[in-house]
Amino acid sequence: MSTVSKDKAASAAAGVIGRRWLFPSALLHELDPDAGRGGRRPRRTARDWAVDFTCFLLAVALGLAAADTLNNDVHTSHSLAVVDQLLGALACGAVWLRRRWPLGLAIAMIPVGMLSNTAGGAGVVVLFTLAVHRPFRYVAWIGGIGLVQVPLQYWLRPDPDLPYAGAVAFTEMATLTVIAWGMFVRSKRQLMLSLRDRARRAETEAQLRAEQAQRLAREAIAREMHDVLAHRLTLLSVHAGALEFRPDAPQEEIARAAGVIRESAHEALQDLREIIGVLRAGEPDDAGRPQPTLAALDALVAESREAGMKVTLASRVSDPAAVPSSVGRTAYRIAQEALTNARKHAPGTEVTVAVTGAPGDGLVVDVRNPAPEGDVPLVPGSGQGLIGLTERATLAGGRLEHGPEADGGFRVRAWLPWG
């Protein structure tokens, strides 16, 4: 992954760590793997301590309420009441271990629940924890056993304040409610983790697509540079050969050939510097096989009009013939891509292409289109053409800006150096 992606991941992790007290430790371990580094369990957060203390108080309160009913229960002997309360106290203390052994505590609470009414509150907390931290198959088995156990428990030890049917129905409904609540919390956490993973994958894929588009664009520019270099070196070789075989040529022809050789060598060196710059940047850049120049812009506009587009060309270049071929070619490609995007995303609108510039000031290519009227069918695309144009403009020593305007239209503006 690129350095940018790593920096984004690091900043996201830093954001989680900065607010870790808001997260359950189990969820924090998934969001920030460094929290459980070294194989150790993640430590309780402030939220965990608050929740655990609340669960402990709930288990104790329900246990005390159940212990109070034992005093009025004529069917419970004193020794059984003592055992009941002792098991209830141990179960309340075990609530603090519920995060470490949710399944083990849930299994242990099955026989404890049969012997101790005061352990009922702790059993509810443990069952809820099991539903939050373990898959549904464990909850189904433990919860199913608990639902079957309830009628038998009240048959052996009737509730002194409620009829048998009412006590069974209330306990069964409370058990199902606790299971459903725990499963809801678990599904909410899983949804959060799933959305986090999807966001990370989408970000990684977008970064990879952008890098791939840049790589393909640079490779295309490298191919174009190869063609340009081959053309210039061939021209240089022809004139050098002519000088070699015609040493008695007139001085004017020799001077003209020498000038062509010097100019061709200079242009070849310039192109070579460009391609070396591309390779140093990481890989090559964008371009097309043909070698159009600024003079071909009229033909491009005419072709677009023949295709049904409404295009207005405003050319205010002081000396079009003096525009360097590489700059004119880049301007042509920028206008071509902008017209293509306008045809795809804003059909039927009138596109304005403005080209201005002068030696020393640079060449400006400005393509605008208003917002389309009505709904436009969705056209697949990811902006890779604009990425390639940005790379091309940067390679030429210029800059390119693109984006929507306040009125809903779209604008592509490039500045290219013209020395």
Side-chain angles (χ1 to χ4, degrees):
M1 186 179 294
S2 65
T3 305
V4 176
S5 299
K6 291 179 181 178
D7 292 342
K8 289 181 179 178
S11 62
V16 171
I17 294 173
R19 301 186 299 273
R20 60 179 300 156
W21 64 275
L22 291 172
F23 291 84
S25 57
L27 185 61
L28 181 65
H29 179 66
E30 297 293 336
L31 291 174
D32 179 21
D34 291 340
R37 192 168 41 192
R40 296 175 298 179
R41 294 181 66 257
R43 300 175 60 181
R44 282 189 178 97
T45 62
R47 180 187 183 281
D48 288 340
W49 283 108
V51 172
D52 289 349
F53 191 72
T54 302
C55 290
F56 174 73
L57 291 181
L58 176 63
V60 170
L62 294 178
L64 292 176
D68 185 60
T69 61
L70 292 177
N71 298 328
N72 302 325
D73 188 0
V74 296
H75 302 288
T76 302
S77 63
H78 177 71
S79 58
L80 182 58
V82 171
V83 172
D84 188 315
Q85 295 177 24
L86 179 60
L87 290 175
L90 293 175
C92 290
V95 166
W96 290 99
L97 304 176
R98 66 192 184 91
R99 294 181 184 274
R100 180 168 296 185
W101 299 302
L103 181 59
L105 283 178
I107 295 175
M109 289 302 299
I110 294 176
V112 171
M114 289 291 296
L115 300 174
S116 174
N117 287 340
T118 56
V124 168
V125 174
V126 170
L127 184 61
F128 172 77
T129 304
L130 180 68
V132 171
H133 294 280
R134 290 296 180 266
F136 175 72
R137 60 179 182 275
Y138 299 109
V139 182
W141 278 104
I142 302 299
I145 293 174
L147 292 175
V148 173
Q149 177 181 299
V150 169
L152 179 61
Q153 180 180 357
Y154 281 108
W155 179 265
L156 297 176
R157 301 184 63 183
D159 190 294
D161 300 326
L162 293 175
Y164 174 77
V168 171
F170 175 79
T171 306
E172 298 272 13
M173 185 173 296
T175 301
L176 292 174
T177 302
V178 169
I179 292 175
W181 185 21
M183 292 176 61
F184 170 74
V185 173
R186 176 178 174 80
S187 64
K188 187 177 179 180
R189 292 184 180 181
Q190 289 179 332
L191 177 61
M192 181 184 299
L193 295 175
S194 174
L195 293 176
R196 187 278 317 267
D197 292 338
R198 289 174 60 184
R200 284 185 176 178
R201 283 198 301 270
E203 181 179 345
T204 302
E205 291 172 359
Q207 182 68 22
L208 291 176
R209 283 197 301 269
E211 291 176 356
Q212 184 181 23
Q214 291 177 351
R215 182 164 55 252
L216 294 176
R218 291 176 175 182
E219 289 174 356
I221 278 195
R223 288 194 297 268
E224 182 180 357
M225 289 299 178
H226 172 270
D227 295 340
V228 171
L229 284 175
H231 169 74
R232 298 193 189 283
L233 293 176
T234 301
L235 187 63
L236 188 151
S237 176
V238 168
H239 285 275
L243 288 179
E244 180 181 4
F245 289 103
R246 290 288 309 277
D248 57 343
Q251 290 294 326
E252 294 180 359
E253 292 186 11
I254 293 177
R256 185 167 56 252
V260 172
I261 291 174
R262 182 186 59 79
E263 185 66 23
S264 297
H266 176 73
E267 294 291 340
L269 286 175
Q270 289 296 108
D271 293 335
L272 187 59
R273 288 193 187 98
E274 289 181 2
I275 197 169
I276 289 176
V278 173
L279 294 175
R280 284 177 177 171
E283 289 142 45
D285 224 307
D286 149 306
R289 288 298 181 86
Q291 304 293 325
T293 61
L294 192 63
L297 195 58
D298 291 332
L300 175 65
V301 171
E303 181 180 299
S304 299
R305 288 170 178 167
E306 291 178 0
M309 291 187 66
K310 301 175 183 178
V311 185
T312 300
L313 176 61
S315 180
R316 293 185 293 275
V317 181
S318 61
D319 189 2
V323 177
S325 59
S326 60
V327 175
R329 184 166 60 251
T330 302
Y332 177 91
R333 292 301 185 195
I334 291 172
Q336 183 183 47
E337 180 65 20
L339 288 173
T340 301
N341 287 341
R343 184 163 55 244
K344 289 194 301 184
H345 302 293
T349 60
E350 183 174 0
V351 185
T352 302
V353 181
V355 182
T356 59
D361 296 333
L363 188 69
V364 177
V365 181
D366 195 336
V367 183
R368 300 185 183 185
N369 65 267
E373 298 179 1
D375 295 331
V376 178
L378 182 62
V379 179
S382 57
Q384 294 183 0
L386 292 174
I387 293 175
L389 291 185
T390 304
E391 290 288 330
R392 175 187 284 275
T394 303
L395 179 62
R399 57 184 178 270
L400 185 138
E401 302 171 354
H402 58 83
E405 296 190 296
D407 60 356
F410 197 87
R411 179 184 185 185
V412 177
R413 187 179 189 277
W415 177 86
L416 303 172
W418 181 4

